[in-house]
Amino acid sequence: MRVHKLTFAALAVAAGLSLTACQNGDDGTGQSAPSSAPTASSPGAGSGSGGSDQGGGKDATGTGSAGKSSGGQGTAAGTGSNANGKVGKCRTDELEITAKDNTIDGDPDGTVTVQLKNSGGRDCAISGYAGVDLKTSAGSLSAKRTGEKANPAVLKNGQSTAFGINYPINKSGGSGIRVTGLLVTPPDETKTVTLDWPGAATLPVTDGTGSPVKVGPVGNAGQGG
């Protein structure tokens, strides 16, 4: 009986040792599991950082570019607006046109000065030659341009400019050609103003080879010849 009891006791001890070993193995496995948890959480942290960087990049680039582009367009529009705001040309109805004799004693020819005053209430541009015709007893006589360079000018409201008309004085002793009026058409206009002729009453009779009357450009009030 003692032999059997010892055998059973030995078996019980062996079983106990085996059970303890198994339990230690399970604990080891259980302890290794938590060590893998941080590894699983790493991808999530990385993904969040990448999303933040991408979002920040878009906002910074998009907003900055749009602001600069808008500013550039505004500047261009302003410039375009200034180019479209150029001063308009002087119209006949905006000009007070008068004529006076400006002949100097001793000059071989006579001179009439025509003044154009801006009374339109705005600045206006004027340049070139006015159309000039004399009404005479022999019909209409158109003045010939001198060919001098015409300089552009801007007339402020109330300012004036002028041009000269040069004509031959009748020294023939005859009746000559009687002048009855002066027609003036401002540069680039079609409406004509009729004025009294302030110069000599007659012109000498010519052979008809060309107009003896000459007109200078606007801005030159001296003699046209």
Side-chain angles (χ1 to χ4, degrees):
M1 293 296 293
R2 286 184 179 180
V3 175
H4 290 291
K5 287 181 179 180
L6 289 174
T7 303
F8 288 143
L11 292 175
V13 171
L17 292 174
S18 175
L19 179 61
T20 299
C22 292
Q23 287 177 352
N24 288 339
D26 293 339
D27 290 345
T29 304
Q31 290 175 358
S32 64
S35 64
S36 63
T39 303
S41 64
S42 296
S47 175
S49 174
S52 175
D53 290 344
Q54 292 174 359
K58 289 181 179 179
D59 291 343
T61 303
T63 304
S65 297
K68 291 179 181 179
S69 176
S70 176
Q73 290 176 356
T75 302
T79 303
S81 179
N82 293 336
N84 293 335
K86 291 182 179 179
V87 177
K89 67 179 182 179
C90 296
R91 301 288 186 180
T92 301
D93 292 337
E94 297 176 316
L95 298 172
E96 292 181 13
I97 303 175
T98 57
K100 67 178 183 177
D101 181 26
N102 200 28
T103 302
I104 299 175
D105 290 342
D107 284 350
D109 297 325
T111 301
V112 167
T113 297
V114 177
Q115 185 181 71
L116 304 95
K117 181 178 180 181
N118 178 12
S119 59
R122 68 177 182 94
D123 295 352
C124 66
I126 191 167
S127 176
Y129 284 79
V132 172
D133 295 279
L134 301 185
K135 295 196 311 182
T136 75
S137 56
S140 180
L141 178 64
S142 296
K144 181 180 178 182
R145 295 180 178 183
T146 63
E148 296 174 82
K149 181 180 179 180
N151 296 315
V154 174
L155 293 182
K156 294 185 178 298
N157 185 45
Q159 287 187 336
S160 300
T161 188
F163 63 88
I165 301 171
N166 179 248
Y167 65 94
I169 297 175
N170 182 16
K171 300 177 180 179
S172 65
S175 60
I177 300 173
R178 185 165 55 92
V179 182
T180 60
L182 171 64
L183 304 177
V184 176
T185 307
D188 299 321
E189 278 290 275
T190 56
K191 188 173 183 179
T192 301
V193 174
T194 302
L195 305 172
D196 292 334
W197 174 250
T202 63
L203 300 175
V205 177
T206 64
D207 57 8
T209 57
S211 174
V213 182
K214 298 180 180 179
V215 57
V218 171
N220 182 357
Q223 288 190 332

